[in-house]
Amino acid sequence: MVLRNSRLTTKTSKLFDSFNASINFDQELAEDDILGSIAHCKMLVKCQLISASDGQKIVKGLKQIQKEFHQGKLNFTEQLEDVHMNIEDQLLKKIGAVAGKLHTARSRNDQVALDTRLYLRRQLVTTVQNLLGLTDTLANLAKSVGDQMIPGYTHLQRAQPVLLSHYLLAYAWKFSRDIERLLSSWDRLNRCPLGAGALAGSGLAIDRNYTAKLLNFSAPTANSMDSVSDRDHLLEYLSNAAISFTHLSGLSEEFILWASQEFAFVDLPDEFCQTSSMMPQKKNPDLLELIRGKSGRINGNLINLLTILKGLSQTYFKDLQEDKEPLFDSVKTWNQSLILISELLKKTKFNTAKISHEVYADYSNATDLADYLTSKGVSFREAHQIVGQLVQVAIKQKKYLLQIALSDYQKFCPSFTQDLYAYIDPRNIINRRRVAGSTGPLSVKVQLKDLTMQLKIQKKQLAKYSKLINTKL
Ligand code: ARG
């Protein structure tokens, strides 16, 4: 291709070639680039900017390239910089000089803006699918563990007993919000920048609505300068990934702790663990550690792009080529992590005997003991004081609150009677929690129903978007 020979006199420096080229990574956009070009070509024909027969030749050539790409037969070269120039060059080789008409009323600036939007639409659908998969896994687990109780923690100190289902659903809700965030970014993403040209639009009578419609976008973008400089949708995806990794890394940490000998609440599937090269007894939770660790690159990718974009005046700069690697990396890492952790969870075994034992082996019924006193008319602050002292006594006696004699209780407050023991049994503590959103079985049942309903709505919305990305031209 002869792009350089007019304005520039020499070839690019060999040193500069690979620094300048993006083909090694932006070939990820090949499919989208070809699709965008087919739509653009059809529009040029419709607007009589190129003839129907030239248009046919171009589309035929592009479809051939598409096929070769799918077969892994396309050869890319660094000399041609990026995926756009490489594909145009392939077209030139296939159909000759008529290939040169494809770039009428188009710049690589609106072309790359279009490609990343098409790419991101596909990836958004995939990521939502994977998030739905994980949320379903958590909801199914919550159903399967029935009314199993487990210690609940704050500050990683035993706090109050909860249902294991409630614990698991806490994560399901977090991931369902991740889904919500991605879905609600769709409308901003689903606008077509093609026709913005280099920055100022086109003086040729193109039809931007037509290309937008062909590619199932809701409309063309509103401002040509904004269209070629805007990377907000990438930032949104990257920040959604970063938020989701606060959930994924927290969930990983939870199961890493639970798999330790200290907790021994779960047995992780061997297929997602590793052993040590030196210590033969080791079963290490490598997958979960890796997901926790990959939060580093996910946060880094967001900061990376924010830093690239900060302070850029209008409109396109080559800086913007740097937007792709962080994006591709987050897309890959996020999707892989979601699939893997969901598989791990499906095969994780809960050590219910140990968990049930632990629910009775602590002082986490103390709050309800204080509530018991308030139900007898003692002020909560006074009750808090009394129970705090009782816990000290119990620790000295090497007993838990259920094991202390009623006479000891009554030394601290005459309002204590025999019914306190039933009141502070963890099972009753949990069953009493009927307030919306709390851990009692009735509330959890409602919660599961609400979550299932929400997931159903999200699945419907996703099905709509999946149809839109299935563009055949
Ligand atoms: N490879 C470039 C990128 O990703 C394509 C746009 C090039 N535009 C230009 N004016 N040099 O940003």
Side-chain angles (χ1 to χ4, degrees), residues 273-396:
C273 294
Q274 276 296 1
T275 189
S276 149
S277 59
M278 186 180 187
M279 301 166 282
Q281 86 284 9
K282 290 301 288 297
K283 173 172 163 180
N284 297 329
D286 283 32
L287 169 63
L288 295 171
E289 290 170 25
L290 274 171
I291 292 175
R292 190 179 55 186
K294 281 179 193 291
S295 308
R297 66 165 75 206
I298 292 285
N299 291 347
N301 290 337
L302 171 62
I303 301 298
N304 184 344
L305 185 59
L306 281 169
T307 311
I308 291 165
L309 297 173
K310 183 204 161 290
L312 280 188
S313 58
Q314 293 300 316
T315 49
Y316 180 85
F317 294 91
K318 198 66 171 265
D319 307 48
L320 294 174
Q321 180 165 286
E322 289 290 307
D323 63 357
K324 289 168 202 64
E325 282 167 295
L327 176 68
F328 298 156
D329 185 66
S330 281
V331 164
K332 186 171 149 214
T333 308
W334 194 4
N335 284 317
Q336 281 181 338
S337 302
L338 291 169
I339 293 170
L340 283 164
I341 203 165
S342 175
E343 286 310 299
L344 175 140
L345 289 173
K346 279 184 206 162
K347 293 178 181 164
T348 293
K349 292 203 170 59
F350 287 95
N351 186 353
T352 50
K354 172 76 172 22
I355 299 173
S356 301
H357 168 80
E358 289 301 331
V359 170
Y360 282 88
D362 63 28
Y363 300 94
S364 56
N365 44 4
T367 309
D368 280 66
L369 189 58
D371 285 351
Y372 168 86
L373 284 181
T374 59
S375 76
K376 304 251 165 167
V378 181
S379 86
F380 183 75
R381 275 290 153 249
E382 198 185 333
H384 188 277
Q385 186 84 15
I386 293 168
V387 175
Q389 287 163 356
L390 269 161
V391 170
Q392 277 200 44
V393 169
I395 291 171
K396 270 194 203 120

Side-chain angles (χ1 to χ4, degrees), residues 159-263:
Q160 289 178 322
V162 292
L163 285 182
L164 177 54
S165 52
H166 192 56
Y167 213 129
L168 296 167
L169 287 175
Y171 283 104
W173 284 109
K174 291 177 199 296
F175 292 115
S176 130
R177 284 197 300 278
D178 292 344
I179 296 170
E180 211 174 278
R181 262 185 289 274
L182 277 178
L183 290 176
S184 65
S185 67
W186 178 272
D187 288 343
R188 286 178 294 280
L189 168 63
N190 199 31
R191 294 292 198 97
C192 187
L194 201 61
L199 77 160
S202 177
L204 298 169
I206 57 172
D207 184 347
R208 292 193 65 206
N209 284 313
Y210 185 66
T211 18
K213 207 167 144 212
L214 280 180
L215 294 167
N216 288 331
F217 284 103
S218 63
T221 48
N223 177 307
S224 62
M225 295 178 80
D226 180 38
S227 307
V228 295
S229 58
D230 172 27
R231 296 294 183 272
D232 290 3
H233 39 291
L234 273 64
L235 279 180
E236 282 194 55
Y237 184 91
L238 292 182
S239 46
N240 286 334
I243 294 172
S244 189
F245 263 79
T246 63
H247 307 147
L248 282 168
S249 61
L251 178 59
S252 301
E253 170 74 1
E254 196 88 70
F255 277 74
I256 289 167
L257 286 171
W258 285 1
S260 70
Q261 203 175 330
E262 282 65 24
F263 277 83

Side-chain angles (χ1 to χ4, degrees), residues 20 22 25-26 29 81-84 107-109 112 231 316-324:
N20 181 39
S22 54
F25 49 88
D26 70 9
L29 300 174
E81 266 192 72
D82 57 24
V83 66
H84 324 293
S107 154
R108 271 186 298 166
N109 297 355
V112 75
R231 296 294 183 272
Y316 180 85
F317 294 91
K318 198 66 171 265
D319 307 48
L320 294 174
Q321 180 165 286
E322 289 290 307
D323 63 357
K324 289 168 202 64

